[in-house]
Amino acid sequence: MDRPGFIASLVAGGIAGVSVDLILFPLDTIKTRLQSPQGFYKAGGFYGVYAGVPSTAIGSFPNAAAFFVTYEYVKWILHTDSSSHLMPVTHMLAASAGEVGIQGLYRGYKSTVLREIPFSLVQFPLWESLKALWSWRQDHVVNSWQSAVCGAFAGGFAAAVTTPLDVAKTRIMLAKAGSSTASGNILSALHAVWQTQGLSGLFAGVFPRMAAISLGGFIFLGAYDQTRSFLSELGRESP
């Protein structure tokens, strides 16, 4: 990946990350409270859903920038022909590398990575495949709005199938220090939810999660493509 492409991915990723967090932070807060073992209203209900937005937005720029630089770089290294059946594998590996490259210094890191890698394994290959299909159908590359729509579909589907892992992550993050759940064992967290609440517990908050991530996919991936295209054009025009 050349230097202009590197810079475009870095800046576009950061802008996309900040954009989606500022808009969707309240929905994520509501989803987390729905998944809380205390219950929605005891966990805070609708009170203070914007609390923590500034710190989240500040942290999201470097995280999203690092993800997309890694994602694009690994795609470049593993470049395969667009007609190859290995393309989804390339996108899976690139997305996984992007997620593993971002380490969080908090108790839920292992479960967060275990949650985010399966999510990205579904979302990014599906996003890229939908863009490729749409481009093929209309005989030219998709624009940023079309990329955003593909991102919404991919994000919503990935959100639905990975909801149990998200529930487990939430329980680990909210668990009392010293409890078995607080140890960070995602399988034990899933088992505890299954025993107490069954299937409905494992998929708690699935609809707000799908709504938030579908909208998030639209904003995040659309903003990324739009900003990256704009910066790439500027790079080509500059002497």
Side-chain angles (χ1 to χ4, degrees):
M1 187 163 57
D2 59 11
R3 189 169 176 272
F6 175 87
I7 294 171
S9 295
L10 187 79
V11 176
I15 290 173
V18 171
S19 299
V20 76
D21 277 343
L22 287 175
I23 295 169
L24 297 184
F25 188 90
L27 281 176
D28 189 61
T29 301
I30 290 168
K31 180 268 300 178
T32 300
R33 291 174 181 178
L34 282 168
Q35 294 175 349
S36 170
Q38 303 172 55
F40 178 66
Y41 288 104
K42 285 187 178 179
F46 293 102
Y47 178 76
V49 292
Y50 275 100
V53 167
S55 59
T56 299
I58 290 168
S60 66
F61 189 98
N63 284 349
F67 172 85
F68 272 112
V69 165
T70 307
Y71 178 71
E72 297 291 352
Y73 185 67
V74 173
K75 272 176 38 178
W76 178 69
I77 291 174
L78 302 176
H79 178 70
T80 53
D81 185 78
S82 59
S83 61
S84 171
H85 295 299
L86 293 176
M87 281 298 285
V89 177
T90 297
H91 297 143
M92 286 179 180
L93 291 172
S96 298
E99 294 292 357
V100 173
I102 303 167
Q103 297 189 9
L105 301 175
Y106 50 87
R107 187 170 67 196
Y109 171 62
K110 288 181 181 178
S111 63
T112 299
V113 169
L114 286 172
R115 174 199 62 170
E116 297 296 355
I117 288 180
F119 177 82
S120 292
L121 284 174
V122 177
Q123 184 190 34
F124 280 88
L126 184 55
W127 176 54
E128 299 277 13
S129 297
L130 289 171
K131 287 196 300 177
L133 177 61
W134 201 336
S135 298
W136 175 73
R137 290 292 297 271
Q138 66 185 8
D139 204 28
H140 62 81
V141 177
V142 294
N143 59 35
S144 298
W145 285 103
Q146 292 168 332
S147 176
V149 171
C150 293
F153 277 102
F157 181 79
V161 299
T162 59
T163 294
L165 294 175
D166 189 58
V167 171
K169 185 274 304 185
T170 300
R171 292 300 177 91
I172 289 168
M173 294 294 290
L174 297 177
K176 292 180 180 178
S179 67
S180 59
T181 303
S183 66
N185 188 317
I186 198 164
L187 289 178
S188 68
L190 287 169
H191 186 254
V193 174
W194 172 258
Q195 279 191 317
T196 56
Q197 294 176 280
L199 193 64
S200 63
L202 291 174
F203 284 89
V206 63
F207 293 114
R209 175 171 161 81
M210 284 179 66
I213 294 181
S214 291
L215 184 55
F218 184 91
I219 298 166
F220 187 56
L221 298 174
Y224 173 72
D225 262 6
Q226 177 65 43
T227 308
R228 189 167 184 264
S229 297
F230 175 73
L231 293 174
S232 297
E233 282 294 324
L234 283 181
R236 281 193 288 269
E237 291 173 4
S238 61

